[in-house]
Amino acid sequence: MDHSAHHTSTAHDHTAHEAHAGHAGHQVGGVTWGAAAKATLHCLTGCAIGEILGMVIGTALLWGNVQTMVLAITLAFVFGYSFTLFAVRRAGLDWKSAIKVALAADTVSIAVMEFVDNAIIALTPGAMDAHLSDALFWTALLGGFAVAFVITTPVNKWMIGRGKGHAVVHAYH
């Protein structure tokens, strides 16, 4: 009985699996910094949109600092999750499964990012009282995003390397 076709197929499937493992910066046995940075940038984009919108709305409506930060953080999570949610919905997941994937993929990343970013804003003298037209408002906000990116990237690298966080989304790309 000739099993060469079976063995060739098995070897081919294994090679294809290894090629997939290398997708999006993954390496067999680990994850690259590039893949971690890409996942962090994905989360940062949604967070930044939501947070800037929340800060702009709260500041424009002359809300207090606490109300403005709550709105900004809430919108950061909403926009952060929505990027993943709509991507996995396009890949064919039902709403319930897509929500579970988005929560698993982004919760820790968004939470770390928001904690760092808002701590920077809160600890920057005068930033919480700055107006939309003040350079201090934008400098603290954008500087907070930069620091949050630097701190969150290693967190995402660690999580992806363990099959958690953004790694759960890769099955749907």
Side-chain angles (χ1 to χ4, degrees), residues 85 89 93-103:
L85 180 67
R89 284 282 297 146
L93 256 60
D94 62 273
W95 278 103
K96 184 177 179 181
S97 297
I99 289 169
K100 287 179 181 180
V101 167
L103 291 173

Side-chain angles (χ1 to χ4, degrees), residues 2-80:
D2 183 14
H3 294 284
S4 62
H6 175 70
H7 291 291
T8 303
S9 175
T10 303
H12 176 70
D13 290 344
H14 182 68
T15 303
H17 177 70
E18 285 178 358
H20 180 70
H23 172 68
H26 283 85
Q27 297 173 332
V28 177
V31 64
T32 65
W33 283 103
K38 185 176 177 180
T40 305
L41 188 58
H42 172 84
C43 280
L44 179 64
T45 302
C47 287
I49 291 168
E51 187 149 342
I52 290 170
L53 185 60
M55 291 292 208
V56 167
I57 291 170
T59 302
L61 295 176
L62 303 176
W63 287 2
N65 292 339
V66 173
Q67 295 90 342
T68 299
M69 284 187 90
V70 167
L71 177 63
I73 292 167
T74 301
L75 290 178
F77 273 92
V78 168
F79 279 88

